[in-house]
């Protein structure tokens, strides 16, 4: 008896999803028949990441305003999936592709394929080893330079620093480490006590900081975290241990939580990466490229240091 | 660390095996103590009250998940969806935990309810269909992650009330609340598993399902209870995590299921069902925490930490398979 029940449920579920799928397909066709609408395929690194979602939301807004149809897919951090998604965009013969690459090397075949199919491909936010039609983003090395420079200035070029890495081996982690180390080299008085990964995660950053407090205690003068989530975790651990007043914490991204923390004075500074501008410039470039107009091969959006003094400007 | 009931398909008497089993029973404790001793010799910062409290605090969330999954594994099942339940419960609770909205009981209750319902759904599908728990919970793991993202619109839910943040981040008489909650939960779970009828049924179902059915045990009831319980504990862990980091994150808890299962297995819970204890699981979780804390104190890079952890898991399972009777 029971299996029949279950089969019925499953069958109805399946048909429901199928119907929904048909619906969508139908509207898509209508859109294309009605007017010559530009279609841009978008593949994003991960729609679970707030910053990436912000970049995408701005693109969607700008696209709607310009009457461009956006097909967005989530690569879920898998470069393999991303390459397949670009292949399917090519098969659908979209007018332009915007890719937010998962990996420097592994996402590169997608660029090669799109260029071979003569579809302009724009990389947003991070790079691939093969040059796309255009790049819109910011230089991650610079963000870390800004953050570490702030620490150096605050400490007068002398003190003990801890660094919390993102996922080891990811482009953002590598570049942010590179930028931080460049500044450390300029200030021989700054000593890197320890560095360890917090995997971009607030709870992990917090645990790591708790353990470091046990190891180094009052020796710690400053912490640089590769992103705000981990920076906020470190702030929490330092506050709980009653050490926050003596330790400078700086991180990158300027997510809303971090801005609030900067305003409250718990996080000393964050580095603002402009998601809105990245999104809007990416879609602008894609439209120009699709229409065969001239466009910039590289658009670099500058970073900005956010401290208590200027945080009001960034809070919406 | 007694099971209360021996549910082996027993080939009686191999004395050398009983001896090995004895090593397993005390071996874990021994391994744990010796690792602690070694660490306290290498670094003076390890064996301080403050550091030990930090270890237990860090371990508590994984331990709660591991308790839940221990119930499930003892009945011969598995639950891969606990990490996603952490996210769902965390996001749900955070949504109701903004300052000056509801009293703190509301987010906690609703978060727990979400986890219990999710767990019950797992149990329902597993008992009503013939699909193995591995596959069902693999599916609900993805569903749960999606739900957490939908409910939070892909963004962390922040700005939580102080009273909510106190639950997982506060201290009572100098003792972190997480430690107190862990002790209470451990006590309750131990009693359920070792002192109640339903606990004995769990061992019976995992030891030999046919025999359990033949002796009149309602398999589906036991399984429903086990998965619901696991969901409740995962939700508790999710609420505590949210409170500890003062934000409900849709991508929280990713990979937690593996740590929790590892803790249970290191603690001597057999993946083939029928054996396992709460004390073992607690020590398993503590062992993981001690190693990661110790390696952090020694400033060992996380690459090596992963290798060490993997080796310990395999070691524990090898010990377990040596101990299982009648494998030849």
């Amino acid at each position: 008896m029971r299996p029949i029940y279950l089969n019925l449920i499953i069958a109805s579920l399946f048909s429901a999803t199928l119907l929904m799928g048909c619906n969508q397909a139908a509207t898509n066709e209508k859109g294309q028949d009605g007017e010559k609408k530009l279609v841009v395929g978008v593949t994003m690194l991960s729609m679970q990441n707030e910053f990436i979602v912000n970049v995408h939301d701005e693109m969607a807004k700008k696209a709607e305003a310009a009457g461009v149809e956006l097909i967005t897919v989530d690569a879920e951090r898998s470069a393999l999936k991303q390459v397949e998604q670009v292949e399917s965009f090519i098969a659908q013969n979209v007018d332009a592709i915007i890719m937010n690459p998962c990996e420097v090397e592994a996402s590169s075949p997608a660029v090669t394929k799109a260029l071979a199919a003569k579809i302009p491909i724009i990389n947003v936010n991070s790079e691939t080893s093969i040059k796309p039609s255009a790049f819109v983003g910011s230089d991650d090395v610079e963000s870390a330079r800004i953050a570490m420079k702030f620490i150096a200035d605050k400490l007068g070029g002398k003190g003990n620093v801890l660094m919390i890495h993102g996922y080891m081996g990811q482009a953002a982690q590598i570049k942010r480490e590179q930028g931080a180390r460049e500044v450390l080299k300029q200030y021989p008085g700054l000593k890197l006590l320890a560095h360890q990964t917090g995997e971009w995660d607030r709870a992990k950053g917090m645990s790591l900081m708790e353990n470091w407090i046990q190891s180094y205690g009052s020796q710690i003068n400053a912490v640089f975290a590769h992103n705000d989530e981990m920076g906020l975790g470190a702030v929490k651990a330092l506050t709980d241990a009653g050490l926050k007043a003596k330790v400078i914490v700086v991180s990158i991204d300027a997510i809303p939580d971090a801005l609030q923390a900067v305003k409250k004075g718990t996080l000393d500074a964050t580095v603002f990466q402009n998601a809105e501008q990245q999104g809007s410039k990416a879609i602008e470039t894609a439209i120009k490229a699709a229409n065969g107009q001239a466009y910039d091969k590289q658009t670099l959006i500058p970073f900005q240091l956010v401290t208590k003094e200027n945080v009001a400007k960034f809070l919406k | 660390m007694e099971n209360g009931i021996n549910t082996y398909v027993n080939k009686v008497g191999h004395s050398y095996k009983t001896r090995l089993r004895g090593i397993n029973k005390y071996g874990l404790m021994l391994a744990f103590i010796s690792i602690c001793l070694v660490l306290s010799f290498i670094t003076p910062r390890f064996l301080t009250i403050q550091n030990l409290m930090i270890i237990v605090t860090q371990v508590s969330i994984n331990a709660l998940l591991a308790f839940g999954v221990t119930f499930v594994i003892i009945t011969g099942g598995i639950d891969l969806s606990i990490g996603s339940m952490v996210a769902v419960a965390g996001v749900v609770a955070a949504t109701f935990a903004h300052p000056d909205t509801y009293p703190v009981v509301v987010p906690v209750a609703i978060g727990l309810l979400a986890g219990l319902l999710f767990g019950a759904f797992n149990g329902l599908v597993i008992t009503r269909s013939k699909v193995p728990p591995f596959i069902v919970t693999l599916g609900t793991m993805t569903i749960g992650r999606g739900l957490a993202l939908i409910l939070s619109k892909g963004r962390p839910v922040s700005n939580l009330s102080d009273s909510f943040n106190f639950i997982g981040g506060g201290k009572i008489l100098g003792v972190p609340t997480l430690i107190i909650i862990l002790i209470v939960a451990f006590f309750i779970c131990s009693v359920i598993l070792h002192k109640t009828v339903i606990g004995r049924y769990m061992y019976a179902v995992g030891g030999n399902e046919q025999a359990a059915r033949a002796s009149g045990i309602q398999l589906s009831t036991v399984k429903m209870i086990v998965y619901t319980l696991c969901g409740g504990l995962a939700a508790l862990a999710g609420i505590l995590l949210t409170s500890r980091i003062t934000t409900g994150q849709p991508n929280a808890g990713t990979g937690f299921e593996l740590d929790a299962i590892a803790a249970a297995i290191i603690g001597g819970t057999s993946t083939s069902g029928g054996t396992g204890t709460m004390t073992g699981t607690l020590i398993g979780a503590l062992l993981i925490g001690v190693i990661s804390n110790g390696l952090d104190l020694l400033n060992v890079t996380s690459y090596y930490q992963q290798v060490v952890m993997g080796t310990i898991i395999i070691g524990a399972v090898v010990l377990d398979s040596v101990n299982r009777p009648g494998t030849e």
Side-chain angles (χ1 to χ4, degrees), chain A residues 54 210-211 215 229 257, chain B residues 45 58 155 158 249 293 302:
Chain A
N54 286 342
E210 286 172 342
N211 293 345
S215 288
E229 287 291 347
D257 268 12
Chain B
R45 297 170 204 108
Q58 291 176 357
R155 291 185 166 83
S158 300
Q249 302 217 330
N293 170 273
S302 52

Side-chain angles (χ1 to χ4, degrees), chain A residues 42 44 54-64 70 98 124 276 278-280 282-283:
Chain A
V42 181
M44 303 301 282
N54 286 342
V55 172
H56 173 261
D57 286 358
E58 188 64 23
M59 274 196 238
K61 216 161 53 179
K62 282 276 147 58
E64 204 184 317
L70 225 52
I98 296 175
V124 65
E276 277 75 23
Q278 288 193 9
S280 66
I283 197 81

Side-chain angles (χ1 to χ4, degrees), chain B residues 219-241:
Chain B
L219 291 186
S220 50
T221 315
V222 175
K223 286 184 182 174
M224 276 300 293
I225 291 174
V226 161
Y227 284 97
T228 311
L229 207 58
C230 186
L233 281 162
L236 180 61
I239 293 165
L240 293 175
L241 178 71

Side-chain angles (χ1 to χ4, degrees), chain A residues 236-254:
Chain A
K236 183 86 196 320
L238 286 163
T239 312
D240 289 352
L243 283 172
K244 182 60 201 71
K246 295 176 200 137
V247 180
I248 296 162
V249 183
V250 181
S251 49
I252 299 177
D253 284 345

Side-chain angles (χ1 to χ4, degrees), chain A residues 2 6 48 50 53-54 57 168 193-194 196-197 202-203 206-208 210-211 214-215 229 236 257, chain B residues 45 48 50-51 54 58 129 149 155-156 158 244-245 247 249 251 293 296-297 299-303:
Chain A
R2 264 177 206 151
L6 203 76
Q48 296 193 25
E50 194 183 5
V53 173
N54 286 342
D57 286 358
M168 301 304 282
L193 269 188
Q196 189 80 262
T197 179
R202 194 181 298 198
M206 184 175 168
S207 294
L208 183 60
E210 286 172 342
N211 293 345
Q214 294 308 306
S215 288
E229 287 291 347
K236 183 86 196 320
D257 268 12
Chain B
R45 297 170 204 108
T48 62
Q50 213 185 358
N51 190 48
I54 281 175
Q58 291 176 357
S129 72
L149 286 163
R155 291 185 166 83
S158 300
R244 176 165 148 88
I245 62 176
T247 169
Q249 302 217 330
N251 52 3
N293 170 273
D296 272 354
L297 291 188
N299 203 13
V300 177
T301 53
S302 52
Y303 302 159

